[in-house]
Amino acid sequence: MRIYLLVIALAAAVTFVATPLVRVLARRVNAVTPLRERDVHEVPTPRMGGVAMLVGFAVALLVASRTEFLGEVFTVSPQAWAILGSAVLICLLGAADDIWDLDWITKLVGQVLCAGLMVWQGVQLVTLPLFDSIAILSPNMLLAITLLIVLVAINAVNFVDGLDGLAAGLIAIGGGAFFVYSYLLTVSTDEASYANLATLIIAAVVGACLGFLPHNFFKASIFMGDSGAMFLGLTLSAAGIIVTGNIDPGASAQLTEFVALPAFLPILLPVAVMLIPLVDLVFAVVRRIAAGKSPFAADGRHLHHRLMARGHSHRRTVVILYAWTTVFAFGAVALAFLPLQTVLIALTVAVVVGIVLTVVPLPVRRSSHRSRHVKGPEAREKVEP
């Protein structure tokens, strides 16, 4: 555990130090978010913070590769290097978009290529756990499912990236839950070595988010931009794919008395971690298509917009979404390690309290300075597929 905590701390420290340097670079290359009617930030703010997160992530992985404990993760297979290489490429793609506003087709093609690099090097589903069994699908089907998962994760983070500290905080919390599950599962199923690629990747991602948050939380001095949103989506999905498709779902049966649950957890947990971004993505696409618009069209009706329209402040909206992510992500993890009845009671109480805090109408704050049809300060409206 200590080496993983070191990875988190190292990624956080490097990202924290690198972010001011990236902020200066972003201003020089004009990667700056302008002011628009639907935005809530009050001054033009540099984006491209994902570059700093990538630096922290890369340094943590490179140092880990030189340690005796985690070095074997890098020598057994090329997956770790494939994830790092794909992360670099997709961050560069996002940085180009932060500077030049690429069209959505160019970004989609780039995303497919980056995901394809990981898949080519073995980061893909091998099996698909289904309740008390595992499905063996054709290689082409597994390839398509893997690519789809990566693309959905990338664009889900992109869609939810709309308020100061929102995306980085959600991924840090959800990733923290994923880290706990992956580590404990490895400890309980592998007596030879606790070194695990998924645990390492998610530890570095969480560290990068934690290092970036002090610069990005309200009021942010820099936004992560597409470079950060794409980076987080790709790396988080990579860790999820490794756990879901490469660990025998029956191996965790000893963790809980609920027979059907262990096999289902490898699928449930990644969904729980990404639940808020995924819900926002689905609602946005359905809403726009139902209105006869392109699913890539910008609007101001994301989950965070709706919360702010009810009268929640910028900071409170972010904290509410943090709380929901905590409930679902850590609730899913608790299902594996605690008695089912205890977890369900705790989740029920948490959900009821969350609904009350979220839904109870508050006086809507009026502002003559800017329109309240806010998008949020992150870059610009995310229009990824």
Side-chain angles (χ1 to χ4, degrees), residues 53-321:
M53 301 171 76
L54 171 66
V55 172
F57 176 83
V59 170
L61 258 61
L62 291 174
V63 171
S65 70
R66 306 303 298 175
T67 65
E68 181 178 356
F69 176 69
L70 293 173
E72 64 183 79
V73 171
F74 294 83
T75 58
V76 171
S77 77
Q79 291 181 333
W81 299 119
I83 294 172
L84 179 56
S86 297
V88 171
L89 291 178
I90 203 158
C91 185
L92 292 177
L93 174 67
D97 184 53
D98 290 336
I99 299 171
W100 295 300
D101 290 334
L102 304 177
D103 62 88
W104 71 268
I105 295 179
T106 300
K107 287 182 282 187
L108 177 59
V109 171
Q111 292 169 8
V112 172
L113 291 176
C114 293
L117 173 61
M118 291 199 310
V119 172
W120 177 50
Q121 292 299 315
V123 183
Q124 62 175 302
L125 295 172
V126 177
T127 59
L128 193 62
L130 295 174
F131 296 97
D132 59 349
S133 63
I134 54 176
I136 308 297
L137 304 178
S138 68
N140 289 338
M141 181 64 71
L142 290 171
L143 171 62
I145 294 174
T146 302
L147 289 175
L148 180 62
I149 289 173
V150 177
L151 293 177
V152 169
I154 289 172
N155 292 291
V157 176
N158 225 354
F159 269 61
V160 82
D161 182 20
L163 294 178
D164 291 357
L166 181 56
L170 293 182
I171 300 305
I173 294 170
F178 204 116
F179 169 78
V180 171
Y181 173 74
S182 179
Y183 177 77
L184 292 180
L185 181 61
T186 302
V187 169
S188 65
T189 58
D190 191 344
E191 298 179 358
S193 174
Y194 298 161
N196 176 266
L197 178 57
T199 308
L200 171 61
I201 294 298
I202 203 63
V205 170
V206 169
C209 290
L210 294 176
F212 183 67
L213 269 174
H215 302 281
N216 185 238
F217 202 73
F218 187 76
K219 295 181 176 181
S221 62
I222 185 172
F223 305 143
M224 69 169 60
D226 277 28
S227 57
M230 290 184 182
F231 162 76
L232 291 178
L234 181 136
T235 50
L236 186 62
S237 64
I241 288 166
I242 292 171
V243 170
T244 302
N246 294 276
I247 293 180
D248 182 354
S252 58
Q254 58 187 313
L255 300 180
T256 178
E257 59 191 24
F258 186 28
V259 177
L261 185 61
F264 191 61
L265 266 177
I267 295 178
L268 173 64
L269 187 57
V271 173
V273 168
M274 290 285 291
L275 187 62
I276 297 298
L278 289 174
V279 168
D280 196 31
L281 172 64
V282 172
F283 280 3
V285 171
V286 172
R287 178 177 65 246
R288 293 165 187 175
I289 293 177
K293 299 179 180 179
S294 166
F296 317 121
D299 65 30
R301 300 176 61 191
H302 289 281
L303 295 178
H304 47 273
H305 298 145
R306 295 174 183 272
L307 287 173
M308 294 184 74
R310 296 193 68 83
H312 295 299
S313 68
H314 187 133
R315 194 186 300 261
R316 178 168 175 163
T317 296
V318 171
V319 172
I320 287 174
L321 294 175

Side-chain angles (χ1 to χ4, degrees), residues 37-52:
E37 278 301 308
R38 64 176 179 266
D39 294 329
V40 296
H41 59 293
E42 299 178 355
V43 296
T45 306
R47 49 185 181 250
M48 212 165 73
V51 173

